[in-house]
Amino acid sequence: MNPIDVNTKFDLVPDTATGTKRAVMIGINYVGDDPGELSGCWNDVLNMKKYIQDVHGFEEENIVILMDDGIHTEPTKANIIDAYKTIIAQAEENDAIFLHYSGHGTKLRDDDGDESDGYDEALVPRDFQTNGMIRDDDLYELLLKNLPDGVHMTSLMDCCHSGTILDLPYLFKGDGSQTDKKRKAKDIKHVATPTTAPANNTRAKVQAAIKAAEPPAARTRARTRISKLKQPTAAYTRRSRGDAAAVVDADKRKRRNNQMTLDPNMNLDAFIEKLTGKLMEFLQAKMAASLSL
């Protein structure tokens, strides 16, 4: 398998794909699940279907849709696996494949030792509670290992933990370095084009951290007083000008010493944990400063 040159033009259906254009599109709203029910996944699939038909010329008979809407094929684990097996079995040289998944994604403890972070990424089918998840190892076996030569495949996985969910040997990080990082070696010689849309719940975790850091009784008073501060230092406490300057200098040195350093290889969960800890420290310091006024 060759790395992708990120400087070349990307197209869902390149000029070289002169054969049949096929798609498998999956949208799961998990109707009736509490918690866990989603509301936009069916719309995602229907909008993307219209796009690939209107813009890229996909034909109705070559588009397989799985949705838990009571109309289309139910997106159970078995049905998703069967759809993926079928589209690969039908593919021939110069064909184009588009895979779209909109639903929940998760991570599971790695069960075969091939993940550097100790976790497999996984899709969450509609019947996950009884039949389990679809791991990245399974997706690699289903979609990549037997992909015929000369087939252009694009996968759009709109779910959490989707960045490496196909277990591709190359991973591109959009950090400005424009380089390909080799992730792991697999016995595959084909070229696939991953187009993933990873999601995360960073905002929810940060909001939870803010709420947890504020004592309920002091929450309103602390927010009111913090909003009146011009900057998060002790310079605006009732002290002399000289004392205030000394406090500001000490505060700056303290902030420099406590700056959060980020490891470029840090995974998302570790980053969120570190960010949440720093945020809680910051909020507690702000509240202490405001309450001393």
Side-chain angles (χ1 to χ4, degrees):
M1 186 173 189
N2 300 316
I4 297 170
D5 183 355
V6 297
N7 296 304
T8 60
K9 176 188 174 183
F10 167 80
D11 202 338
L12 197 71
V13 181
D15 295 337
T16 55
T18 56
T20 304
K21 290 169 276 194
R22 296 183 176 88
V24 170
M25 311 184 73
I26 303 166
I28 313 177
N29 276 349
Y30 307 91
V31 178
D33 284 11
D34 184 18
E37 184 170 356
L38 301 175
S39 60
C41 300
W42 300 345
N43 287 337
D44 291 342
V45 167
L46 297 177
N47 288 334
M48 287 302 300
K49 178 189 176 188
K50 186 176 188 303
Y51 167 73
I52 64 173
Q53 287 181 305
D54 293 350
V55 177
H56 296 286
F58 282 72
E59 297 180 357
E60 183 76 31
E61 61 267 26
N62 294 322
I63 301 175
V64 175
I65 293 181
L66 292 83
M67 295 198 301
D68 56 340
D69 59 353
I71 300 172
H72 296 85
T73 300
E74 188 76 3
T76 62
K77 181 177 181 179
N79 287 343
I80 292 173
I81 289 174
D82 182 65
Y84 283 159
K85 284 183 176 179
T86 300
I87 198 170
I88 296 301
Q90 292 174 337
E92 298 178 350
E93 186 176 1
N94 298 323
D95 284 356
I97 291 175
F98 177 62
L99 306 175
H100 178 216
Y101 174 90
S102 181
H104 282 306
T106 189
K107 65 178 185 178
L108 305 169
R109 285 284 182 185
D110 177 25
D111 59 358
D112 60 4
D114 69 338
E115 299 286 351
S116 59
D117 64 352
Y119 289 93
D120 283 330
E121 291 72 44
L123 301 182
V124 183
R126 186 64 191 90
D127 58 343
F128 71 95
Q129 293 175 326
T130 54
N131 292 316
M133 316 294 182
I134 303 176
R135 292 176 181 260
D136 52 8
D137 297 326
D138 302 322
L139 294 173
Y140 173 85
E141 293 291 329
L142 288 167
L143 299 171
L144 278 298
K145 194 169 183 179
N146 297 313
L147 185 69
D149 288 331
V151 176
H152 181 90
M153 184 170 75
T154 302
S155 174
L156 173 60
M157 297 293 189
D158 187 1
C159 60
C160 292
H161 305 285
S162 62
T164 57
I165 205 163
L166 290 184
D167 249 0
L168 297 172
Y170 292 94
L171 173 66
F172 172 72
K173 292 185 177 181
D175 57 2
S177 61
Q178 296 286 304
T179 59
D180 292 284
K181 176 184 177 182
K182 189 167 184 178
R183 181 168 178 266
K184 62 179 69 174
K186 293 271 191 178
D187 55 339
I188 186 167
K189 59 184 177 180
H190 314 293
V191 176
T193 303
T195 304
T196 59
N200 62 67
N201 60 350
T202 304
R203 179 178 296 178
K205 290 193 175 184
V206 170
Q207 289 174 340
I210 292 173
K211 187 174 182 180
E214 296 175 334
R219 202 166 286 163
T220 302
R221 181 177 55 181
R223 284 178 177 170
T224 301
R225 291 182 176 176
I226 288 173
S227 67
K228 295 178 181 179
L229 293 176
K230 294 183 179 179
Q231 52 182 300
T233 71
Y236 291 91
T237 59
R238 294 192 181 101
R239 305 188 184 193
S240 67
R241 183 173 298 178
D243 289 342
V247 170
V248 171
D249 289 340
D251 188 61
K252 288 181 178 178
R253 287 194 298 271
K254 183 178 179 180
R255 288 204 303 273
R256 281 198 298 268
N257 292 335
N258 290 333
Q259 284 180 347
M260 185 171 68
T261 57
L262 296 179
D263 182 348
N265 295 318
M266 183 185 298
N267 61 38
L268 179 60
D269 289 331
F271 170 75
I272 292 174
E273 182 178 356
K274 194 163 188 177
L275 176 63
T276 302
K278 289 294 182 181
L279 179 61
M280 292 180 67
E281 291 176 9
F282 170 73
L283 288 171
Q284 289 166 352
K286 289 261 284 187
M287 286 172 18
S290 67
L291 292 174
S292 67
L293 293 176

PDB file of all heavy atoms in Angstrom, residues 127-151:
ATOM      1  N   ASP A 127     -27.814  -3.537  16.522  1.00  0.00           N
ATOM      2  CA  ASP A 127     -28.004  -4.626  17.482  1.00  0.00           C
ATOM      3  C   ASP A 127     -26.746  -4.889  18.305  1.00  0.00           C
ATOM      4  O   ASP A 127     -26.476  -6.029  18.697  1.00  0.00           O
ATOM      5  CB  ASP A 127     -28.439  -5.899  16.757  1.00  0.00           C
ATOM      6  CG  ASP A 127     -27.423  -6.337  15.700  1.00  0.00           C
ATOM      7  OD1 ASP A 127     -26.576  -5.514  15.299  1.00  0.00           O
ATOM      8  OD2 ASP A 127     -27.481  -7.504  15.280  1.00  0.00           O
ATOM      9  N   PHE A 128     -25.988  -3.827  18.599  1.00  0.00           N
ATOM     10  CA  PHE A 128     -24.715  -4.004  19.303  1.00  0.00           C
ATOM     11  C   PHE A 128     -24.890  -4.643  20.672  1.00  0.00           C
ATOM     12  O   PHE A 128     -23.991  -5.343  21.164  1.00  0.00           O
ATOM     13  CB  PHE A 128     -24.008  -2.649  19.444  1.00  0.00           C
ATOM     14  CG  PHE A 128     -24.661  -1.697  20.425  1.00  0.00           C
ATOM     15  CD1 PHE A 128     -24.226  -1.626  21.736  1.00  0.00           C
ATOM     16  CD2 PHE A 128     -25.709  -0.879  20.030  1.00  0.00           C
ATOM     17  CE1 PHE A 128     -24.824  -0.754  22.641  1.00  0.00           C
ATOM     18  CE2 PHE A 128     -26.312  -0.003  20.929  1.00  0.00           C
ATOM     19  CZ  PHE A 128     -25.870   0.056  22.235  1.00  0.00           C
ATOM     20  N   GLN A 129     -26.027  -4.427  21.313  1.00  0.00           N
ATOM     21  CA  GLN A 129     -26.217  -4.945  22.664  1.00  0.00           C
ATOM     22  C   GLN A 129     -26.285  -6.462  22.700  1.00  0.00           C
ATOM     23  O   GLN A 129     -25.949  -7.079  23.708  1.00  0.00           O
ATOM     24  CB  GLN A 129     -27.482  -4.343  23.276  1.00  0.00           C
ATOM     25  CG  GLN A 129     -27.356  -2.840  23.536  1.00  0.00           C
ATOM     26  CD  GLN A 129     -28.653  -2.215  24.021  1.00  0.00           C
ATOM     27  OE1 GLN A 129     -29.739  -2.642  23.613  1.00  0.00           O
ATOM     28  NE2 GLN A 129     -28.553  -1.221  24.878  1.00  0.00           N
ATOM     29  N   THR A 130     -26.690  -7.066  21.602  1.00  0.00           N
ATOM     30  CA  THR A 130     -26.773  -8.529  21.552  1.00  0.00           C
ATOM     31  C   THR A 130     -25.678  -9.154  20.694  1.00  0.00           C
ATOM     32  O   THR A 130     -25.236 -10.271  20.986  1.00  0.00           O
ATOM     33  CB  THR A 130     -28.148  -8.970  20.996  1.00  0.00           C
ATOM     34  OG1 THR A 130     -28.377  -8.334  19.728  1.00  0.00           O
ATOM     35  CG2 THR A 130     -29.252  -8.584  21.961  1.00  0.00           C
ATOM     36  N   ASN A 131     -25.235  -8.442  19.654  1.00  0.00           N
ATOM     37  CA  ASN A 131     -24.270  -9.036  18.725  1.00  0.00           C
ATOM     38  C   ASN A 131     -22.913  -8.341  18.676  1.00  0.00           C
ATOM     39  O   ASN A 131     -22.036  -8.760  17.927  1.00  0.00           O
ATOM     40  CB  ASN A 131     -24.879  -9.081  17.321  1.00  0.00           C
ATOM     41  CG  ASN A 131     -26.039 -10.061  17.244  1.00  0.00           C
ATOM     42  OD1 ASN A 131     -25.954 -11.169  17.752  1.00  0.00           O
ATOM     43  ND2 ASN A 131     -27.142  -9.645  16.630  1.00  0.00           N
ATOM     44  N   GLY A 132     -22.751  -7.277  19.462  1.00  0.00           N
ATOM     45  CA  GLY A 132     -21.433  -6.661  19.568  1.00  0.00           C
ATOM     46  C   GLY A 132     -21.113  -5.655  18.476  1.00  0.00           C
ATOM     47  O   GLY A 132     -21.942  -5.319  17.619  1.00  0.00           O
ATOM     48  N   MET A 133     -19.875  -5.163  18.530  1.00  0.00           N
ATOM     49  CA  MET A 133     -19.388  -4.103  17.644  1.00  0.00           C
ATOM     50  C   MET A 133     -18.687  -4.688  16.411  1.00  0.00           C
ATOM     51  O   MET A 133     -18.435  -5.888  16.324  1.00  0.00           O
ATOM     52  CB  MET A 133     -18.413  -3.198  18.391  1.00  0.00           C
ATOM     53  CG  MET A 133     -18.835  -2.809  19.781  1.00  0.00           C
ATOM     54  SD  MET A 133     -20.300  -1.765  19.805  1.00  0.00           S
ATOM     55  CE  MET A 133     -20.463  -1.460  21.565  1.00  0.00           C
ATOM     56  N   ILE A 134     -18.352  -3.778  15.485  1.00  0.00           N
ATOM     57  CA  ILE A 134     -17.541  -4.152  14.320  1.00  0.00           C
ATOM     58  C   ILE A 134     -16.200  -3.462  14.477  1.00  0.00           C
ATOM     59  O   ILE A 134     -16.094  -2.239  14.324  1.00  0.00           O
ATOM     60  CB  ILE A 134     -18.218  -3.737  13.001  1.00  0.00           C
ATOM     61  CG1 ILE A 134     -19.613  -4.374  12.900  1.00  0.00           C
ATOM     62  CG2 ILE A 134     -17.352  -4.151  11.813  1.00  0.00           C
ATOM     63  CD1 ILE A 134     -20.392  -3.932  11.667  1.00  0.00           C
ATOM     64  N   ARG A 135     -15.174  -4.217  14.816  1.00  0.00           N
ATOM     65  CA  ARG A 135     -13.862  -3.656  15.122  1.00  0.00           C
ATOM     66  C   ARG A 135     -13.127  -3.209  13.861  1.00  0.00           C
ATOM     67  O   ARG A 135     -13.427  -3.642  12.739  1.00  0.00           O
ATOM     68  CB  ARG A 135     -12.993  -4.684  15.860  1.00  0.00           C
ATOM     69  CG  ARG A 135     -13.471  -5.025  17.265  1.00  0.00           C
ATOM     70  CD  ARG A 135     -12.604  -6.111  17.873  1.00  0.00           C
ATOM     71  NE  ARG A 135     -13.037  -6.479  19.212  1.00  0.00           N
ATOM     72  CZ  ARG A 135     -12.461  -6.041  20.343  1.00  0.00           C
ATOM     73  NH1 ARG A 135     -11.410  -5.235  20.273  1.00  0.00           N
ATOM     74  NH2 ARG A 135     -12.924  -6.427  21.511  1.00  0.00           N
ATOM     75  N   ASP A 136     -12.103  -2.364  14.077  1.00  0.00           N
ATOM     76  CA  ASP A 136     -11.279  -1.929  12.953  1.00  0.00           C
ATOM     77  C   ASP A 136     -10.568  -3.101  12.287  1.00  0.00           C
ATOM     78  O   ASP A 136     -10.366  -3.110  11.070  1.00  0.00           O
ATOM     79  CB  ASP A 136     -10.272  -0.853  13.376  1.00  0.00           C
ATOM     80  CG  ASP A 136      -9.436  -1.245  14.590  1.00  0.00           C
ATOM     81  OD1 ASP A 136      -9.511  -2.409  15.025  1.00  0.00           O
ATOM     82  OD2 ASP A 136      -8.698  -0.380  15.096  1.00  0.00           O
ATOM     83  N   ASP A 137     -10.218  -4.117  13.075  1.00  0.00           N
ATOM     84  CA  ASP A 137      -9.605  -5.320  12.485  1.00  0.00           C
ATOM     85  C   ASP A 137     -10.574  -5.986  11.505  1.00  0.00           C
ATOM     86  O   ASP A 137     -10.167  -6.466  10.442  1.00  0.00           O
ATOM     87  CB  ASP A 137      -9.225  -6.322  13.585  1.00  0.00           C
ATOM     88  CG  ASP A 137      -8.180  -5.762  14.545  1.00  0.00           C
ATOM     89  OD1 ASP A 137      -7.314  -4.998  14.092  1.00  0.00           O
ATOM     90  OD2 ASP A 137      -8.236  -6.098  15.736  1.00  0.00           O
ATOM     91  N   ASP A 138     -11.851  -6.025  11.883  1.00  0.00           N
ATOM     92  CA  ASP A 138     -12.863  -6.619  10.998  1.00  0.00           C
ATOM     93  C   ASP A 138     -13.023  -5.798   9.723  1.00  0.00           C
ATOM     94  O   ASP A 138     -13.143  -6.357   8.616  1.00  0.00           O
ATOM     95  CB  ASP A 138     -14.215  -6.696  11.716  1.00  0.00           C
ATOM     96  CG  ASP A 138     -14.159  -7.490  13.009  1.00  0.00           C
ATOM     97  OD1 ASP A 138     -13.441  -8.500  13.038  1.00  0.00           O
ATOM     98  OD2 ASP A 138     -14.825  -7.085  13.981  1.00  0.00           O
ATOM     99  N   LEU A 139     -13.049  -4.467   9.868  1.00  0.00           N
ATOM    100  CA  LEU A 139     -13.213  -3.603   8.700  1.00  0.00           C
ATOM    101  C   LEU A 139     -12.037  -3.738   7.744  1.00  0.00           C
ATOM    102  O   LEU A 139     -12.208  -3.721   6.521  1.00  0.00           O
ATOM    103  CB  LEU A 139     -13.376  -2.152   9.151  1.00  0.00           C
ATOM    104  CG  LEU A 139     -14.660  -1.860   9.937  1.00  0.00           C
ATOM    105  CD1 LEU A 139     -14.638  -0.445  10.493  1.00  0.00           C
ATOM    106  CD2 LEU A 139     -15.890  -2.067   9.069  1.00  0.00           C
ATOM    107  N   TYR A 140     -10.840  -3.868   8.292  1.00  0.00           N
ATOM    108  CA  TYR A 140      -9.662  -4.086   7.442  1.00  0.00           C
ATOM    109  C   TYR A 140      -9.808  -5.374   6.632  1.00  0.00           C
ATOM    110  O   TYR A 140      -9.577  -5.393   5.423  1.00  0.00           O
ATOM    111  CB  TYR A 140      -8.402  -4.139   8.299  1.00  0.00           C
ATOM    112  CG  TYR A 140      -7.174  -4.532   7.517  1.00  0.00           C
ATOM    113  CD1 TYR A 140      -6.436  -3.583   6.816  1.00  0.00           C
ATOM    114  CD2 TYR A 140      -6.767  -5.859   7.454  1.00  0.00           C
ATOM    115  CE1 TYR A 140      -5.324  -3.950   6.071  1.00  0.00           C
ATOM    116  CE2 TYR A 140      -5.656  -6.231   6.718  1.00  0.00           C
ATOM    117  CZ  TYR A 140      -4.944  -5.281   6.028  1.00  0.00           C
ATOM    118  OH  TYR A 140      -3.847  -5.646   5.291  1.00  0.00           O
ATOM    119  N   GLU A 141     -10.210  -6.438   7.325  1.00  0.00           N
ATOM    120  CA  GLU A 141     -10.370  -7.722   6.643  1.00  0.00           C
ATOM    121  C   GLU A 141     -11.476  -7.650   5.588  1.00  0.00           C
ATOM    122  O   GLU A 141     -11.346  -8.200   4.497  1.00  0.00           O
ATOM    123  CB  GLU A 141     -10.685  -8.818   7.662  1.00  0.00           C
ATOM    124  CG  GLU A 141      -9.558  -9.143   8.622  1.00  0.00           C
ATOM    125  CD  GLU A 141      -8.389  -9.831   7.934  1.00  0.00           C
ATOM    126  OE1 GLU A 141      -8.617 -10.568   6.952  1.00  0.00           O
ATOM    127  OE2 GLU A 141      -7.245  -9.630   8.381  1.00  0.00           O
ATOM    128  N   LEU A 142     -12.572  -6.973   5.904  1.00  0.00           N
ATOM    129  CA  LEU A 142     -13.717  -6.912   4.994  1.00  0.00           C
ATOM    130  C   LEU A 142     -13.460  -6.028   3.782  1.00  0.00           C
ATOM    131  O   LEU A 142     -13.816  -6.391   2.647  1.00  0.00           O
ATOM    132  CB  LEU A 142     -14.946  -6.362   5.747  1.00  0.00           C
ATOM    133  CG  LEU A 142     -15.601  -7.275   6.778  1.00  0.00           C
ATOM    134  CD1 LEU A 142     -16.564  -6.463   7.637  1.00  0.00           C
ATOM    135  CD2 LEU A 142     -16.343  -8.408   6.076  1.00  0.00           C
ATOM    136  N   LEU A 143     -12.854  -4.870   4.012  1.00  0.00           N
ATOM    137  CA  LEU A 143     -12.813  -3.832   2.978  1.00  0.00           C
ATOM    138  C   LEU A 143     -11.467  -3.666   2.297  1.00  0.00           C
ATOM    139  O   LEU A 143     -11.410  -3.346   1.118  1.00  0.00           O
ATOM    140  CB  LEU A 143     -13.232  -2.488   3.595  1.00  0.00           C
ATOM    141  CG  LEU A 143     -14.642  -2.437   4.176  1.00  0.00           C
ATOM    142  CD1 LEU A 143     -14.854  -1.141   4.939  1.00  0.00           C
ATOM    143  CD2 LEU A 143     -15.679  -2.580   3.061  1.00  0.00           C
ATOM    144  N   LEU A 144     -10.405  -3.837   3.002  1.00  0.00           N
ATOM    145  CA  LEU A 144      -9.088  -3.520   2.447  1.00  0.00           C
ATOM    146  C   LEU A 144      -8.319  -4.731   1.935  1.00  0.00           C
ATOM    147  O   LEU A 144      -7.705  -4.677   0.870  1.00  0.00           O
ATOM    148  CB  LEU A 144      -8.235  -2.803   3.505  1.00  0.00           C
ATOM    149  CG  LEU A 144      -8.439  -1.300   3.694  1.00  0.00           C
ATOM    150  CD1 LEU A 144      -8.103  -0.546   2.430  1.00  0.00           C
ATOM    151  CD2 LEU A 144      -9.823  -0.948   4.166  1.00  0.00           C
ATOM    152  N   LYS A 145      -8.354  -5.802   2.668  1.00  0.00           N
ATOM    153  CA  LYS A 145      -7.501  -6.941   2.344  1.00  0.00           C
ATOM    154  C   LYS A 145      -7.826  -7.550   0.989  1.00  0.00           C
ATOM    155  O   LYS A 145      -6.929  -7.993   0.270  1.00  0.00           O
ATOM    156  CB  LYS A 145      -7.617  -8.005   3.438  1.00  0.00           C
ATOM    157  CG  LYS A 145      -6.529  -9.057   3.369  1.00  0.00           C
ATOM    158  CD  LYS A 145      -6.533  -9.928   4.613  1.00  0.00           C
ATOM    159  CE  LYS A 145      -5.379 -10.929   4.572  1.00  0.00           C
ATOM    160  NZ  LYS A 145      -5.350 -11.773   5.791  1.00  0.00           N
ATOM    161  N   ASN A 146      -9.105  -7.556   0.629  1.00  0.00           N
ATOM    162  CA  ASN A 146      -9.514  -8.179  -0.635  1.00  0.00           C
ATOM    163  C   ASN A 146      -9.945  -7.177  -1.700  1.00  0.00           C
ATOM    164  O   ASN A 146     -10.565  -7.553  -2.688  1.00  0.00           O
ATOM    165  CB  ASN A 146     -10.653  -9.174  -0.371  1.00  0.00           C
ATOM    166  CG  ASN A 146     -10.226 -10.316   0.524  1.00  0.00           C
ATOM    167  OD1 ASN A 146      -9.176 -10.921   0.313  1.00  0.00           O
ATOM    168  ND2 ASN A 146     -11.020 -10.610   1.542  1.00  0.00           N
ATOM    169  N   LEU A 147      -9.598  -5.908  -1.495  1.00  0.00           N
ATOM    170  CA  LEU A 147      -9.962  -4.891  -2.483  1.00  0.00           C
ATOM    171  C   LEU A 147      -9.182  -5.130  -3.782  1.00  0.00           C
ATOM    172  O   LEU A 147      -7.957  -5.184  -3.776  1.00  0.00           O
ATOM    173  CB  LEU A 147      -9.623  -3.504  -1.932  1.00  0.00           C
ATOM    174  CG  LEU A 147     -10.038  -2.313  -2.790  1.00  0.00           C
ATOM    175  CD1 LEU A 147     -11.556  -2.182  -2.824  1.00  0.00           C
ATOM    176  CD2 LEU A 147      -9.411  -1.034  -2.255  1.00  0.00           C
ATOM    177  N   PRO A 148      -9.859  -5.275  -4.924  1.00  0.00           N
ATOM    178  CA  PRO A 148      -9.147  -5.546  -6.178  1.00  0.00           C
ATOM    179  C   PRO A 148      -8.229  -4.391  -6.585  1.00  0.00           C
ATOM    180  O   PRO A 148      -8.481  -3.226  -6.240  1.00  0.00           O
ATOM    181  CB  PRO A 148     -10.291  -5.716  -7.193  1.00  0.00           C
ATOM    182  CG  PRO A 148     -11.484  -6.072  -6.375  1.00  0.00           C
ATOM    183  CD  PRO A 148     -11.318  -5.323  -5.083  1.00  0.00           C
ATOM    184  N   ASP A 149      -7.191  -4.695  -7.320  1.00  0.00           N
ATOM    185  CA  ASP A 149      -6.294  -3.672  -7.845  1.00  0.00           C
ATOM    186  C   ASP A 149      -7.063  -2.726  -8.763  1.00  0.00           C
ATOM    187  O   ASP A 149      -7.960  -3.146  -9.500  1.00  0.00           O
ATOM    188  CB  ASP A 149      -5.149  -4.320  -8.643  1.00  0.00           C
ATOM    189  CG  ASP A 149      -4.152  -5.022  -7.737  1.00  0.00           C
ATOM    190  OD1 ASP A 149      -3.997  -4.588  -6.589  1.00  0.00           O
ATOM    191  OD2 ASP A 149      -3.543  -6.017  -8.185  1.00  0.00           O
ATOM    192  N   GLY A 150      -6.695  -1.456  -8.714  1.00  0.00           N
ATOM    193  CA  GLY A 150      -7.275  -0.482  -9.622  1.00  0.00           C
ATOM    194  C   GLY A 150      -8.632   0.037  -9.213  1.00  0.00           C
ATOM    195  O   GLY A 150      -9.281   0.751  -9.985  1.00  0.00           O
ATOM    196  N   VAL A 151      -9.088  -0.307  -7.994  1.00  0.00           N
ATOM    197  CA  VAL A 151     -10.372   0.195  -7.493  1.00  0.00           C
ATOM    198  C   VAL A 151     -10.111   1.378  -6.562  1.00  0.00           C
ATOM    199  O   VAL A 151      -9.280   1.296  -5.657  1.00  0.00           O
ATOM    200  CB  VAL A 151     -11.161  -0.907  -6.749  1.00  0.00           C
ATOM    201  CG1 VAL A 151     -12.445  -0.334  -6.148  1.00  0.00           C
ATOM    202  CG2 VAL A 151     -11.486  -2.054  -7.692  1.00  0.00           C
TER     203      VAL A 151
END
